[in-house]
Amino acid sequence: MTEIKLYKSPWKAIKLLGLTIPLVAVGIWLILRNESSLLDRIMGWIGVPFFGFGFFLAFFHMFDKRPQIIINETGIWDRTTKQDLISWNLIKNAKPLNIFGQKFITLTMDKSFKSRNKQYRWARKLSKEVGSSGLDLQLSQIKINPMTMTKFIKEMIKTDKQNRQGLIDKYFDNQ
């Protein structure tokens, strides 16, 4: 059984690092320059740790070698969903979702599916407002086209188990 493992893109982490470096530098400049007012220094001290956290986040994403999504003929697993392997038989539909530039695929699940991720009422309401069904695969850190991934998932849920391996090979032959 072939498994396809999708990893975080290091270029996303490099972009985050490239955005945080100038902001931290401005904060340090506000703190160290002689003619800074008290407000400038306060803003510098707020900005440096806030944007400096981006350094740690970028390095974590850059050197995190764990797979984000694993796909095989039995199901799909996403590390961010806090679920076990999700069987293709339990997925009823999939649709792409874009929330402020963050890419997701929201999965509509069978009634027999038991989610391990319990949400507060306000979070469920917010999820419904943005078009989420409650179980979302996060694609923002992965270099993959959300439309292609959605099409792949829809074909996998319609295909019988013995033909799924061929479908995986068709979509991920260059991986």
Side-chain angles (χ1 to χ4, degrees), residues 31-68:
I31 294 168
L32 297 179
R33 73 181 181 150
N34 292 333
E35 59 273 358
S36 286
S37 67
L38 179 62
L39 181 62
D40 289 344
R41 287 195 171 100
I42 290 172
M43 294 308 291
W45 280 109
I46 291 171
V48 168
F50 180 77
F51 295 114
F53 182 69
F55 282 122
F56 297 110
L57 194 60
F59 282 114
F60 173 76
H61 286 298
M62 198 177 308
F63 297 112
D64 185 16
K65 299 300 178 197
R66 299 175 294 172
Q68 182 76 24

PDB file of all heavy atoms in Angstrom, residues 31-68:
ATOM      1  N   ILE A  31      13.616  51.495  19.913  1.00  0.00           N
ATOM      2  CA  ILE A  31      14.097  51.415  21.294  1.00  0.00           C
ATOM      3  C   ILE A  31      15.451  52.120  21.444  1.00  0.00           C
ATOM      4  O   ILE A  31      15.679  52.855  22.406  1.00  0.00           O
ATOM      5  CB  ILE A  31      14.215  49.941  21.747  1.00  0.00           C
ATOM      6  CG1 ILE A  31      12.835  49.294  21.813  1.00  0.00           C
ATOM      7  CG2 ILE A  31      14.909  49.831  23.095  1.00  0.00           C
ATOM      8  CD1 ILE A  31      12.863  47.793  21.958  1.00  0.00           C
ATOM      9  N   LEU A  32      16.365  51.930  20.492  1.00  0.00           N
ATOM     10  CA  LEU A  32      17.746  52.372  20.642  1.00  0.00           C
ATOM     11  C   LEU A  32      18.049  53.793  20.177  1.00  0.00           C
ATOM     12  O   LEU A  32      19.049  54.360  20.603  1.00  0.00           O
ATOM     13  CB  LEU A  32      18.682  51.401  19.912  1.00  0.00           C
ATOM     14  CG  LEU A  32      18.703  49.966  20.448  1.00  0.00           C
ATOM     15  CD1 LEU A  32      19.638  49.111  19.618  1.00  0.00           C
ATOM     16  CD2 LEU A  32      19.097  49.946  21.914  1.00  0.00           C
ATOM     17  N   ARG A  33      17.230  54.377  19.331  1.00  0.00           N
ATOM     18  CA  ARG A  33      17.585  55.714  18.831  1.00  0.00           C
ATOM     19  C   ARG A  33      17.465  56.747  19.948  1.00  0.00           C
ATOM     20  O   ARG A  33      16.615  56.653  20.823  1.00  0.00           O
ATOM     21  CB  ARG A  33      16.768  56.082  17.605  1.00  0.00           C
ATOM     22  CG  ARG A  33      15.348  56.413  17.873  1.00  0.00           C
ATOM     23  CD  ARG A  33      14.624  56.739  16.595  1.00  0.00           C
ATOM     24  NE  ARG A  33      13.255  57.065  16.977  1.00  0.00           N
ATOM     25  CZ  ARG A  33      12.498  57.885  16.351  1.00  0.00           C
ATOM     26  NH1 ARG A  33      12.918  58.480  15.261  1.00  0.00           N
ATOM     27  NH2 ARG A  33      11.274  58.127  16.764  1.00  0.00           N
ATOM     28  N   ASN A  34      18.325  57.758  19.899  1.00  0.00           N
ATOM     29  CA  ASN A  34      18.419  58.754  20.975  1.00  0.00           C
ATOM     30  C   ASN A  34      17.187  59.657  21.067  1.00  0.00           C
ATOM     31  O   ASN A  34      16.787  60.041  22.156  1.00  0.00           O
ATOM     32  CB  ASN A  34      19.668  59.618  20.794  1.00  0.00           C
ATOM     33  CG  ASN A  34      20.927  58.814  21.025  1.00  0.00           C
ATOM     34  OD1 ASN A  34      20.905  57.835  21.760  1.00  0.00           O
ATOM     35  ND2 ASN A  34      22.024  59.213  20.402  1.00  0.00           N
ATOM     36  N   GLU A  35      16.612  60.020  19.939  1.00  0.00           N
ATOM     37  CA  GLU A  35      15.489  60.966  19.963  1.00  0.00           C
ATOM     38  C   GLU A  35      14.122  60.290  20.098  1.00  0.00           C
ATOM     39  O   GLU A  35      13.101  60.924  19.863  1.00  0.00           O
ATOM     40  CB  GLU A  35      15.509  61.867  18.717  1.00  0.00           C
ATOM     41  CG  GLU A  35      15.440  61.158  17.391  1.00  0.00           C
ATOM     42  CD  GLU A  35      16.796  60.727  16.846  1.00  0.00           C
ATOM     43  OE1 GLU A  35      17.839  60.984  17.454  1.00  0.00           O
ATOM     44  OE2 GLU A  35      16.786  60.100  15.789  1.00  0.00           O
ATOM     45  N   SER A  36      14.079  59.019  20.491  1.00  0.00           N
ATOM     46  CA  SER A  36      12.804  58.322  20.664  1.00  0.00           C
ATOM     47  C   SER A  36      12.053  58.856  21.875  1.00  0.00           C
ATOM     48  O   SER A  36      12.637  59.079  22.935  1.00  0.00           O
ATOM     49  CB  SER A  36      13.027  56.821  20.871  1.00  0.00           C
ATOM     50  OG  SER A  36      13.395  56.213  19.676  1.00  0.00           O
ATOM     51  N   SER A  37      10.769  59.022  21.704  1.00  0.00           N
ATOM     52  CA  SER A  37       9.918  59.413  22.831  1.00  0.00           C
ATOM     53  C   SER A  37       9.574  58.151  23.629  1.00  0.00           C
ATOM     54  O   SER A  37       9.882  57.029  23.230  1.00  0.00           O
ATOM     55  CB  SER A  37       8.650  60.083  22.320  1.00  0.00           C
ATOM     56  OG  SER A  37       7.855  59.148  21.628  1.00  0.00           O
ATOM     57  N   LEU A  38       8.899  58.370  24.743  1.00  0.00           N
ATOM     58  CA  LEU A  38       8.490  57.241  25.577  1.00  0.00           C
ATOM     59  C   LEU A  38       7.533  56.332  24.807  1.00  0.00           C
ATOM     60  O   LEU A  38       7.638  55.102  24.877  1.00  0.00           O
ATOM     61  CB  LEU A  38       7.830  57.746  26.864  1.00  0.00           C
ATOM     62  CG  LEU A  38       7.340  56.668  27.827  1.00  0.00           C
ATOM     63  CD1 LEU A  38       8.505  55.818  28.311  1.00  0.00           C
ATOM     64  CD2 LEU A  38       6.599  57.283  28.993  1.00  0.00           C
ATOM     65  N   LEU A  39       6.634  56.936  24.042  1.00  0.00           N
ATOM     66  CA  LEU A  39       5.683  56.149  23.248  1.00  0.00           C
ATOM     67  C   LEU A  39       6.412  55.307  22.194  1.00  0.00           C
ATOM     68  O   LEU A  39       6.062  54.142  21.976  1.00  0.00           O
ATOM     69  CB  LEU A  39       4.666  57.059  22.565  1.00  0.00           C
ATOM     70  CG  LEU A  39       3.601  56.360  21.730  1.00  0.00           C
ATOM     71  CD1 LEU A  39       2.758  55.439  22.603  1.00  0.00           C
ATOM     72  CD2 LEU A  39       2.728  57.367  21.025  1.00  0.00           C
ATOM     73  N   ASP A  40       7.444  55.879  21.558  1.00  0.00           N
ATOM     74  CA  ASP A  40       8.236  55.118  20.582  1.00  0.00           C
ATOM     75  C   ASP A  40       8.896  53.908  21.237  1.00  0.00           C
ATOM     76  O   ASP A  40       8.898  52.812  20.683  1.00  0.00           O
ATOM     77  CB  ASP A  40       9.315  55.996  19.950  1.00  0.00           C
ATOM     78  CG  ASP A  40       8.760  57.031  18.993  1.00  0.00           C
ATOM     79  OD1 ASP A  40       7.591  56.890  18.590  1.00  0.00           O
ATOM     80  OD2 ASP A  40       9.502  57.979  18.655  1.00  0.00           O
ATOM     81  N   ARG A  41       9.465  54.126  22.406  1.00  0.00           N
ATOM     82  CA  ARG A  41      10.135  53.019  23.103  1.00  0.00           C
ATOM     83  C   ARG A  41       9.133  51.944  23.530  1.00  0.00           C
ATOM     84  O   ARG A  41       9.414  50.749  23.423  1.00  0.00           O
ATOM     85  CB  ARG A  41      10.908  53.559  24.298  1.00  0.00           C
ATOM     86  CG  ARG A  41      12.150  54.296  23.879  1.00  0.00           C
ATOM     87  CD  ARG A  41      13.095  54.501  25.054  1.00  0.00           C
ATOM     88  NE  ARG A  41      14.334  55.019  24.554  1.00  0.00           N
ATOM     89  CZ  ARG A  41      14.676  56.310  24.595  1.00  0.00           C
ATOM     90  NH1 ARG A  41      13.855  57.195  25.116  1.00  0.00           N
ATOM     91  NH2 ARG A  41      15.840  56.698  24.107  1.00  0.00           N
ATOM     92  N   ILE A  42       7.970  52.367  23.991  1.00  0.00           N
ATOM     93  CA  ILE A  42       6.935  51.397  24.377  1.00  0.00           C
ATOM     94  C   ILE A  42       6.504  50.580  23.158  1.00  0.00           C
ATOM     95  O   ILE A  42       6.384  49.357  23.225  1.00  0.00           O
ATOM     96  CB  ILE A  42       5.735  52.110  25.040  1.00  0.00           C
ATOM     97  CG1 ILE A  42       6.136  52.640  26.411  1.00  0.00           C
ATOM     98  CG2 ILE A  42       4.539  51.167  25.164  1.00  0.00           C
ATOM     99  CD1 ILE A  42       5.099  53.526  27.064  1.00  0.00           C
ATOM    100  N   MET A  43       6.282  51.276  22.036  1.00  0.00           N
ATOM    101  CA  MET A  43       5.886  50.566  20.814  1.00  0.00           C
ATOM    102  C   MET A  43       6.989  49.612  20.353  1.00  0.00           C
ATOM    103  O   MET A  43       6.709  48.518  19.860  1.00  0.00           O
ATOM    104  CB  MET A  43       5.530  51.558  19.705  1.00  0.00           C
ATOM    105  CG  MET A  43       4.288  52.385  19.986  1.00  0.00           C
ATOM    106  SD  MET A  43       2.854  51.410  20.423  1.00  0.00           S
ATOM    107  CE  MET A  43       2.521  50.612  18.884  1.00  0.00           C
ATOM    108  N   GLY A  44       8.238  50.018  20.521  1.00  0.00           N
ATOM    109  CA  GLY A  44       9.359  49.140  20.178  1.00  0.00           C
ATOM    110  C   GLY A  44       9.378  47.903  21.047  1.00  0.00           C
ATOM    111  O   GLY A  44       9.577  46.790  20.563  1.00  0.00           O
ATOM    112  N   TRP A  45       9.171  48.098  22.368  1.00  0.00           N
ATOM    113  CA  TRP A  45       9.178  46.962  23.290  1.00  0.00           C
ATOM    114  C   TRP A  45       7.973  46.043  23.084  1.00  0.00           C
ATOM    115  O   TRP A  45       8.046  44.851  23.376  1.00  0.00           O
ATOM    116  CB  TRP A  45       9.231  47.436  24.744  1.00  0.00           C
ATOM    117  CG  TRP A  45      10.610  47.820  25.169  1.00  0.00           C
ATOM    118  CD1 TRP A  45      11.074  49.071  25.419  1.00  0.00           C
ATOM    119  CD2 TRP A  45      11.714  46.939  25.364  1.00  0.00           C
ATOM    120  NE1 TRP A  45      12.407  49.026  25.750  1.00  0.00           N
ATOM    121  CE2 TRP A  45      12.822  47.717  25.738  1.00  0.00           C
ATOM    122  CE3 TRP A  45      11.891  45.571  25.254  1.00  0.00           C
ATOM    123  CZ2 TRP A  45      14.068  47.176  25.998  1.00  0.00           C
ATOM    124  CZ3 TRP A  45      13.143  45.026  25.523  1.00  0.00           C
ATOM    125  CH2 TRP A  45      14.207  45.829  25.891  1.00  0.00           C
ATOM    126  N   ILE A  46       6.896  46.568  22.577  1.00  0.00           N
ATOM    127  CA  ILE A  46       5.745  45.714  22.248  1.00  0.00           C
ATOM    128  C   ILE A  46       6.003  44.982  20.931  1.00  0.00           C
ATOM    129  O   ILE A  46       5.714  43.794  20.799  1.00  0.00           O
ATOM    130  CB  ILE A  46       4.446  46.546  22.176  1.00  0.00           C
ATOM    131  CG1 ILE A  46       4.066  47.038  23.568  1.00  0.00           C
ATOM    132  CG2 ILE A  46       3.306  45.740  21.560  1.00  0.00           C
ATOM    133  CD1 ILE A  46       2.923  48.033  23.584  1.00  0.00           C
ATOM    134  N   GLY A  47       6.558  45.673  19.953  1.00  0.00           N
ATOM    135  CA  GLY A  47       6.754  45.097  18.625  1.00  0.00           C
ATOM    136  C   GLY A  47       7.824  44.035  18.556  1.00  0.00           C
ATOM    137  O   GLY A  47       7.669  43.041  17.840  1.00  0.00           O
ATOM    138  N   VAL A  48       8.929  44.227  19.283  1.00  0.00           N
ATOM    139  CA  VAL A  48      10.038  43.270  19.191  1.00  0.00           C
ATOM    140  C   VAL A  48       9.621  41.872  19.651  1.00  0.00           C
ATOM    141  O   VAL A  48       9.827  40.899  18.906  1.00  0.00           O
ATOM    142  CB  VAL A  48      11.284  43.781  19.955  1.00  0.00           C
ATOM    143  CG1 VAL A  48      12.327  42.685  20.119  1.00  0.00           C
ATOM    144  CG2 VAL A  48      11.876  44.980  19.235  1.00  0.00           C
ATOM    145  N   PRO A  49       9.022  41.693  20.825  1.00  0.00           N
ATOM    146  CA  PRO A  49       8.628  40.320  21.187  1.00  0.00           C
ATOM    147  C   PRO A  49       7.487  39.778  20.320  1.00  0.00           C
ATOM    148  O   PRO A  49       7.468  38.592  19.983  1.00  0.00           O
ATOM    149  CB  PRO A  49       8.179  40.411  22.639  1.00  0.00           C
ATOM    150  CG  PRO A  49       8.327  41.800  23.063  1.00  0.00           C
ATOM    151  CD  PRO A  49       8.821  42.617  21.929  1.00  0.00           C
ATOM    152  N   PHE A  50       6.549  40.676  19.938  1.00  0.00           N
ATOM    153  CA  PHE A  50       5.413  40.216  19.132  1.00  0.00           C
ATOM    154  C   PHE A  50       5.884  39.696  17.774  1.00  0.00           C
ATOM    155  O   PHE A  50       5.558  38.585  17.375  1.00  0.00           O
ATOM    156  CB  PHE A  50       4.406  41.353  18.951  1.00  0.00           C
ATOM    157  CG  PHE A  50       3.211  40.972  18.143  1.00  0.00           C
ATOM    158  CD1 PHE A  50       2.197  40.212  18.700  1.00  0.00           C
ATOM    159  CD2 PHE A  50       3.096  41.364  16.822  1.00  0.00           C
ATOM    160  CE1 PHE A  50       1.096  39.842  17.952  1.00  0.00           C
ATOM    161  CE2 PHE A  50       1.999  41.007  16.068  1.00  0.00           C
ATOM    162  CZ  PHE A  50       0.990  40.245  16.638  1.00  0.00           C
ATOM    163  N   PHE A  51       6.651  40.503  17.072  1.00  0.00           N
ATOM    164  CA  PHE A  51       7.136  40.072  15.766  1.00  0.00           C
ATOM    165  C   PHE A  51       8.312  39.105  15.890  1.00  0.00           C
ATOM    166  O   PHE A  51       8.562  38.314  14.980  1.00  0.00           O
ATOM    167  CB  PHE A  51       7.511  41.279  14.906  1.00  0.00           C
ATOM    168  CG  PHE A  51       6.324  42.127  14.562  1.00  0.00           C
ATOM    169  CD1 PHE A  51       6.212  43.416  15.059  1.00  0.00           C
ATOM    170  CD2 PHE A  51       5.311  41.638  13.764  1.00  0.00           C
ATOM    171  CE1 PHE A  51       5.109  44.198  14.752  1.00  0.00           C
ATOM    172  CE2 PHE A  51       4.207  42.407  13.460  1.00  0.00           C
ATOM    173  CZ  PHE A  51       4.108  43.685  13.947  1.00  0.00           C
ATOM    174  N   GLY A  52       9.035  39.164  17.005  1.00  0.00           N
ATOM    175  CA  GLY A  52      10.127  38.219  17.239  1.00  0.00           C
ATOM    176  C   GLY A  52       9.627  36.788  17.377  1.00  0.00           C
ATOM    177  O   GLY A  52      10.345  35.832  17.080  1.00  0.00           O
ATOM    178  N   PHE A  53       8.379  36.643  17.822  1.00  0.00           N
ATOM    179  CA  PHE A  53       7.789  35.307  17.899  1.00  0.00           C
ATOM    180  C   PHE A  53       7.731  34.669  16.515  1.00  0.00           C
ATOM    181  O   PHE A  53       7.792  33.446  16.380  1.00  0.00           O
ATOM    182  CB  PHE A  53       6.389  35.394  18.521  1.00  0.00           C
ATOM    183  CG  PHE A  53       5.721  34.070  18.680  1.00  0.00           C
ATOM    184  CD1 PHE A  53       6.179  33.143  19.596  1.00  0.00           C
ATOM    185  CD2 PHE A  53       4.638  33.729  17.882  1.00  0.00           C
ATOM    186  CE1 PHE A  53       5.569  31.912  19.723  1.00  0.00           C
ATOM    187  CE2 PHE A  53       4.014  32.510  18.003  1.00  0.00           C
ATOM    188  CZ  PHE A  53       4.484  31.591  18.933  1.00  0.00           C
ATOM    189  N   GLY A  54       7.647  35.500  15.486  1.00  0.00           N
ATOM    190  CA  GLY A  54       7.652  35.009  14.112  1.00  0.00           C
ATOM    191  C   GLY A  54       8.933  34.277  13.752  1.00  0.00           C
ATOM    192  O   GLY A  54       8.925  33.365  12.928  1.00  0.00           O
ATOM    193  N   PHE A  55      10.071  34.683  14.370  1.00  0.00           N
ATOM    194  CA  PHE A  55      11.328  33.963  14.157  1.00  0.00           C
ATOM    195  C   PHE A  55      11.174  32.503  14.573  1.00  0.00           C
ATOM    196  O   PHE A  55      11.510  31.592  13.835  1.00  0.00           O
ATOM    197  CB  PHE A  55      12.466  34.576  14.987  1.00  0.00           C
ATOM    198  CG  PHE A  55      13.054  35.819  14.425  1.00  0.00           C
ATOM    199  CD1 PHE A  55      13.055  36.986  15.170  1.00  0.00           C
ATOM    200  CD2 PHE A  55      13.633  35.841  13.170  1.00  0.00           C
ATOM    201  CE1 PHE A  55      13.608  38.140  14.682  1.00  0.00           C
ATOM    202  CE2 PHE A  55      14.193  36.987  12.663  1.00  0.00           C
ATOM    203  CZ  PHE A  55      14.175  38.142  13.423  1.00  0.00           C
ATOM    204  N   PHE A  56      10.683  32.303  15.800  1.00  0.00           N
ATOM    205  CA  PHE A  56      10.542  30.946  16.324  1.00  0.00           C
ATOM    206  C   PHE A  56       9.548  30.138  15.493  1.00  0.00           C
ATOM    207  O   PHE A  56       9.784  28.974  15.188  1.00  0.00           O
ATOM    208  CB  PHE A  56      10.104  30.980  17.787  1.00  0.00           C
ATOM    209  CG  PHE A  56      11.106  31.632  18.683  1.00  0.00           C
ATOM    210  CD1 PHE A  56      10.847  32.864  19.255  1.00  0.00           C
ATOM    211  CD2 PHE A  56      12.336  31.026  18.941  1.00  0.00           C
ATOM    212  CE1 PHE A  56      11.776  33.476  20.069  1.00  0.00           C
ATOM    213  CE2 PHE A  56      13.270  31.625  19.749  1.00  0.00           C
ATOM    214  CZ  PHE A  56      12.994  32.855  20.322  1.00  0.00           C
ATOM    215  N   LEU A  57       8.454  30.776  15.119  1.00  0.00           N
ATOM    216  CA  LEU A  57       7.450  30.105  14.309  1.00  0.00           C
ATOM    217  C   LEU A  57       8.018  29.731  12.939  1.00  0.00           C
ATOM    218  O   LEU A  57       7.808  28.614  12.453  1.00  0.00           O
ATOM    219  CB  LEU A  57       6.227  31.009  14.152  1.00  0.00           C
ATOM    220  CG  LEU A  57       4.960  30.371  13.635  1.00  0.00           C
ATOM    221  CD1 LEU A  57       4.510  29.261  14.554  1.00  0.00           C
ATOM    222  CD2 LEU A  57       3.880  31.428  13.517  1.00  0.00           C
ATOM    223  N   ALA A  58       8.759  30.640  12.322  1.00  0.00           N
ATOM    224  CA  ALA A  58       9.348  30.367  11.006  1.00  0.00           C
ATOM    225  C   ALA A  58      10.365  29.231  11.094  1.00  0.00           C
ATOM    226  O   ALA A  58      10.366  28.332  10.239  1.00  0.00           O
ATOM    227  CB  ALA A  58      10.010  31.627  10.462  1.00  0.00           C
ATOM    228  N   PHE A  59      11.226  29.245  12.095  1.00  0.00           N
ATOM    229  CA  PHE A  59      12.216  28.184  12.224  1.00  0.00           C
ATOM    230  C   PHE A  59      11.560  26.847  12.547  1.00  0.00           C
ATOM    231  O   PHE A  59      11.997  25.796  12.075  1.00  0.00           O
ATOM    232  CB  PHE A  59      13.278  28.537  13.266  1.00  0.00           C
ATOM    233  CG  PHE A  59      14.288  29.507  12.756  1.00  0.00           C
ATOM    234  CD1 PHE A  59      14.375  30.778  13.300  1.00  0.00           C
ATOM    235  CD2 PHE A  59      15.146  29.159  11.721  1.00  0.00           C
ATOM    236  CE1 PHE A  59      15.298  31.693  12.823  1.00  0.00           C
ATOM    237  CE2 PHE A  59      16.079  30.065  11.236  1.00  0.00           C
ATOM    238  CZ  PHE A  59      16.143  31.336  11.787  1.00  0.00           C
ATOM    239  N   PHE A  60      10.485  26.869  13.338  1.00  0.00           N
ATOM    240  CA  PHE A  60       9.764  25.629  13.621  1.00  0.00           C
ATOM    241  C   PHE A  60       9.202  25.042  12.329  1.00  0.00           C
ATOM    242  O   PHE A  60       9.366  23.856  12.040  1.00  0.00           O
ATOM    243  CB  PHE A  60       8.639  25.874  14.625  1.00  0.00           C
ATOM    244  CG  PHE A  60       7.761  24.666  14.832  1.00  0.00           C
ATOM    245  CD1 PHE A  60       8.195  23.603  15.592  1.00  0.00           C
ATOM    246  CD2 PHE A  60       6.519  24.596  14.230  1.00  0.00           C
ATOM    247  CE1 PHE A  60       7.396  22.479  15.768  1.00  0.00           C
ATOM    248  CE2 PHE A  60       5.718  23.487  14.393  1.00  0.00           C
ATOM    249  CZ  PHE A  60       6.154  22.423  15.164  1.00  0.00           C
ATOM    250  N   HIS A  61       8.541  25.875  11.525  1.00  0.00           N
ATOM    251  CA  HIS A  61       7.964  25.393  10.269  1.00  0.00           C
ATOM    252  C   HIS A  61       9.045  24.975   9.274  1.00  0.00           C
ATOM    253  O   HIS A  61       8.851  24.037   8.506  1.00  0.00           O
ATOM    254  CB  HIS A  61       7.062  26.454   9.631  1.00  0.00           C
ATOM    255  CG  HIS A  61       5.753  26.607  10.326  1.00  0.00           C
ATOM    256  ND1 HIS A  61       4.842  25.590  10.415  1.00  0.00           N
ATOM    257  CD2 HIS A  61       5.194  27.652  10.968  1.00  0.00           C
ATOM    258  CE1 HIS A  61       3.788  25.995  11.079  1.00  0.00           C
ATOM    259  NE2 HIS A  61       3.976  27.245  11.430  1.00  0.00           N
ATOM    260  N   MET A  62      10.174  25.664   9.302  1.00  0.00           N
ATOM    261  CA  MET A  62      11.244  25.362   8.359  1.00  0.00           C
ATOM    262  C   MET A  62      11.877  24.000   8.641  1.00  0.00           C
ATOM    263  O   MET A  62      12.213  23.258   7.720  1.00  0.00           O
ATOM    264  CB  MET A  62      12.319  26.453   8.435  1.00  0.00           C
ATOM    265  CG  MET A  62      13.231  26.490   7.247  1.00  0.00           C
ATOM    266  SD  MET A  62      14.438  27.831   7.334  1.00  0.00           S
ATOM    267  CE  MET A  62      13.445  29.261   7.632  1.00  0.00           C
ATOM    268  N   PHE A  63      12.030  23.649   9.906  1.00  0.00           N
ATOM    269  CA  PHE A  63      12.736  22.428  10.260  1.00  0.00           C
ATOM    270  C   PHE A  63      11.822  21.303  10.735  1.00  0.00           C
ATOM    271  O   PHE A  63      12.297  20.249  11.135  1.00  0.00           O
ATOM    272  CB  PHE A  63      13.799  22.727  11.318  1.00  0.00           C
ATOM    273  CG  PHE A  63      14.857  23.660  10.809  1.00  0.00           C
ATOM    274  CD1 PHE A  63      14.962  24.946  11.317  1.00  0.00           C
ATOM    275  CD2 PHE A  63      15.720  23.266   9.802  1.00  0.00           C
ATOM    276  CE1 PHE A  63      15.930  25.821  10.842  1.00  0.00           C
ATOM    277  CE2 PHE A  63      16.688  24.131   9.315  1.00  0.00           C
ATOM    278  CZ  PHE A  63      16.791  25.409   9.839  1.00  0.00           C
ATOM    279  N   ASP A  64      10.510  21.501  10.673  1.00  0.00           N
ATOM    280  CA  ASP A  64       9.552  20.464  11.034  1.00  0.00           C
ATOM    281  C   ASP A  64       9.472  19.462   9.889  1.00  0.00           C
ATOM    282  O   ASP A  64       8.993  19.779   8.803  1.00  0.00           O
ATOM    283  CB  ASP A  64       8.175  21.089  11.308  1.00  0.00           C
ATOM    284  CG  ASP A  64       7.172  20.082  11.807  1.00  0.00           C
ATOM    285  OD1 ASP A  64       7.590  18.982  12.235  1.00  0.00           O
ATOM    286  OD2 ASP A  64       5.964  20.389  11.773  1.00  0.00           O
ATOM    287  N   LYS A  65       9.938  18.274  10.111  1.00  0.00           N
ATOM    288  CA  LYS A  65      10.003  17.255   9.062  1.00  0.00           C
ATOM    289  C   LYS A  65       8.883  16.223   9.164  1.00  0.00           C
ATOM    290  O   LYS A  65       8.911  15.208   8.471  1.00  0.00           O
ATOM    291  CB  LYS A  65      11.362  16.538   9.095  1.00  0.00           C
ATOM    292  CG  LYS A  65      12.521  17.472   8.855  1.00  0.00           C
ATOM    293  CD  LYS A  65      12.420  18.153   7.504  1.00  0.00           C
ATOM    294  CE  LYS A  65      13.559  19.115   7.301  1.00  0.00           C
ATOM    295  NZ  LYS A  65      13.328  20.059   6.248  1.00  0.00           N
ATOM    296  N   ARG A  66       7.910  16.464  10.016  1.00  0.00           N
ATOM    297  CA  ARG A  66       6.780  15.544  10.117  1.00  0.00           C
ATOM    298  C   ARG A  66       5.813  15.783   8.962  1.00  0.00           C
ATOM    299  O   ARG A  66       5.626  16.922   8.544  1.00  0.00           O
ATOM    300  CB  ARG A  66       6.044  15.743  11.447  1.00  0.00           C
ATOM    301  CG  ARG A  66       6.914  15.479  12.662  1.00  0.00           C
ATOM    302  CD  ARG A  66       6.194  15.810  13.924  1.00  0.00           C
ATOM    303  NE  ARG A  66       5.946  17.252  13.974  1.00  0.00           N
ATOM    304  CZ  ARG A  66       5.191  17.851  14.884  1.00  0.00           C
ATOM    305  NH1 ARG A  66       4.596  17.157  15.806  1.00  0.00           N
ATOM    306  NH2 ARG A  66       5.032  19.160  14.858  1.00  0.00           N
ATOM    307  N   PRO A  67       5.168  14.741   8.456  1.00  0.00           N
ATOM    308  CA  PRO A  67       4.197  14.956   7.373  1.00  0.00           C
ATOM    309  C   PRO A  67       2.959  15.694   7.886  1.00  0.00           C
ATOM    310  O   PRO A  67       2.509  15.448   9.001  1.00  0.00           O
ATOM    311  CB  PRO A  67       3.856  13.551   6.901  1.00  0.00           C
ATOM    312  CG  PRO A  67       4.267  12.640   7.991  1.00  0.00           C
ATOM    313  CD  PRO A  67       5.342  13.330   8.771  1.00  0.00           C
ATOM    314  N   GLN A  68       2.439  16.585   7.071  1.00  0.00           N
ATOM    315  CA  GLN A  68       1.222  17.328   7.415  1.00  0.00           C
ATOM    316  C   GLN A  68      -0.016  16.510   7.061  1.00  0.00           C
ATOM    317  O   GLN A  68      -0.954  16.437   7.829  1.00  0.00           O
ATOM    318  CB  GLN A  68       1.208  18.659   6.655  1.00  0.00           C
ATOM    319  CG  GLN A  68       0.039  19.541   6.954  1.00  0.00           C
ATOM    320  CD  GLN A  68       0.162  20.222   8.285  1.00  0.00           C
ATOM    321  OE1 GLN A  68       1.254  20.410   8.803  1.00  0.00           O
ATOM    322  NE2 GLN A  68      -0.952  20.587   8.860  1.00  0.00           N
TER     323      GLN A  68
END
